[in-house]
């Protein structure tokens, strides 16, 4: 089974308590941004990564604003399940922006990144990276990848909210950034079953096609009779 969860921010307990204990061998968990296990390079952080690499299930993630991109970009890029990913060792892969990955026969479009609201604070402490915001080249990669699938995928996984979803937390800016405008284009032109995103830090199925995920571990199939919906 394939599952999604929200921002983990380097919290190991998300993978060791509650429903995560019931994940089985060959299951896959996709983190919707702000993975956070690459941040300060401390011995504790490396120890936590080693623990994750030994999990019996597969851990995938799209990136969010709260990643150390300098550290992340040190890992090798590999061709993986139809797209490109960074292999962090063992069972952990960072899904690069703009690719369609095929898992268990499902086509999943991944596009990480976002704009941190507290970027000035992080910049002042040296913990902000301009790579948080996707580039035009990455958006171009996304369009080319989606065209290869005739603009049809099963699921979309992002960190940043799907179009118009930021208003749930009164976060809508006065002007749209380039990522919001790009996602509006995706929403209009791509056929998909569900769009999962993590940045709002709430667990809520908002519409029939948009789901905000945070602490829950959701079956990506939407919780059919075979799916298991886990809470932390």
């Amino acid at each position: 089974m394939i599952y999604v969860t929200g921002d983990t921010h380097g919290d190991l307990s998300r993978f060791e308590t509650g429903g995560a204990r019931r994940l089985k061998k060959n299951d896959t968990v996709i983190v919707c941004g702000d993975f956070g296990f690459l941040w300060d390079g401390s011995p504790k952080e490396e120890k936590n990564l080693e623990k994750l690499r030994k999990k019996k299930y597969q851990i995938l993630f799209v990136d969010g604003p709260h990643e150390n991109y300098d550290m992340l970009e040190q890992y090798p890029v590999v061709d993986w399940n139809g797209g490109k990913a960074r292999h962090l060792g063992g069972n952990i892969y960072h899904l690069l922006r703009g690719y369609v990955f095929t898992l268990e026969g499902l086509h999943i479009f991944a596009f990480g990144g976002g704009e941190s609201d507290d970027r000035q604070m992080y910049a002042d402490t040296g913990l902000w990276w301009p790579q948080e915001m996707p580039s035009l080249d990455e958006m171009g990669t996304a369009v080319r990848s989606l065209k290869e699938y005739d603009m049809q995928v099963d699921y979309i996984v992002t960190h940043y909210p799907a179009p118009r979803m930021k208003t749930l937390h009164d976060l809508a800016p006065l002007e749209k950034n380039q990522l919001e405008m790009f996602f509006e284009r995706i929403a209009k032109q791509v056929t998909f079953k569900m769009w999962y995103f993590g940045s709002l830090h709430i667990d809520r199925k908002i519409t029939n096609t948009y789901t905000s995920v945070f602490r829950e571990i959701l079956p990506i199939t939407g919780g059919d009779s075979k799916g298991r919906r886990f809470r932390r």
Side-chain angles (χ1 to χ4, degrees):
M1 288 288 295
I2 303 171
Y3 299 86
V4 291
T5 191
D7 305 11
T8 49
H9 289 286
D11 180 9
L12 190 63
S13 68
R14 185 77 63 86
F15 299 95
E16 295 191 330
T17 61
R21 291 179 177 176
R22 297 192 291 272
L23 292 170
K24 298 180 179 180
K25 183 179 180 180
N26 299 324
D27 280 344
T28 297
V29 177
I30 306 176
V31 179
C32 294
D34 284 354
F35 182 59
F37 285 89
L38 290 173
W39 186 248
D40 59 15
S42 65
K44 179 181 178 181
E45 186 173 85
E46 182 55 35
K47 184 177 180 179
N48 286 343
L49 271 173
E50 280 302 315
K51 289 182 179 179
L52 292 184
R53 291 178 180 123
K54 295 176 182 178
K55 295 296 182 185
K56 58 188 175 183
Y57 49 86
Q58 189 166 239
I59 299 171
L60 316 178
F61 70 96
V62 297
D63 53 86
H66 297 155
E67 319 283 4
N68 184 326
Y69 285 91
D70 291 340
M71 292 181 62
L72 187 58
E73 290 170 2
Q74 292 177 16
Y75 287 88
V77 175
V78 298
D79 293 324
W80 190 79
N81 285 19
K84 290 187 180 295
R86 293 189 185 277
H87 187 200
L88 274 62
N91 59 342
I92 306 176
Y93 290 87
H94 165 221
L95 305 180
L96 294 190
R97 300 167 183 169
Y99 292 95
V100 177
F101 299 89
T102 302
L103 300 171
E104 298 186 16
L106 299 174
H107 300 312
I108 301 172
F109 172 66
F111 203 89
E115 186 175 41
S116 52
D117 298 311
D118 48 5
R119 58 187 176 276
Q120 187 57 55
M121 178 187 71
Y122 281 103
D124 291 342
T125 59
L127 294 173
W128 177 82
W129 290 266
Q131 299 98 307
E132 70 172 29
M133 180 58 75
S135 67
L136 293 178
D137 284 344
E138 289 168 328
M139 294 177 188
T141 295
V143 172
R144 290 190 295 272
S145 297
L146 288 166
K147 284 182 177 179
E148 290 180 4
Y149 288 84
D150 296 323
M151 307 300 278
Q152 298 181 46
V153 296
D154 292 296
Y155 300 100
I156 295 177
V157 176
T158 66
H159 173 69
Y160 211 64
R164 299 178 299 281
M165 296 296 110
K166 288 188 75 174
T167 56
L168 291 173
H169 273 190
D170 298 323
L171 295 175
L174 295 177
E175 296 183 3
K176 296 177 183 177
N177 61 40
Q178 65 184 25
L179 182 55
E180 289 172 305
M181 291 187 286
F182 176 67
F183 277 178
E184 287 185 352
R185 176 184 176 187
I186 294 298
K188 291 177 181 179
Q189 297 182 355
V190 178
T191 300
F192 57 92
K193 298 175 183 176
M194 185 66 72
W195 184 324
Y196 296 97
F197 54 91
S199 68
L200 295 186
H201 288 192
I202 57 175
D203 289 295
R204 185 186 303 173
K205 183 176 180 180
I206 301 165
T207 71
N208 288 333
T209 50
Y210 296 116
T211 294
S212 172
V213 61
F214 183 30
R215 297 187 183 279
E216 291 191 23
I217 300 176
L218 302 178
I220 203 168
T221 52
D224 60 20
S225 59
K226 296 182 181 179
R228 295 161 287 158
R229 184 185 183 103
F230 298 154
R231 290 186 179 273
R232 184 180 174 186

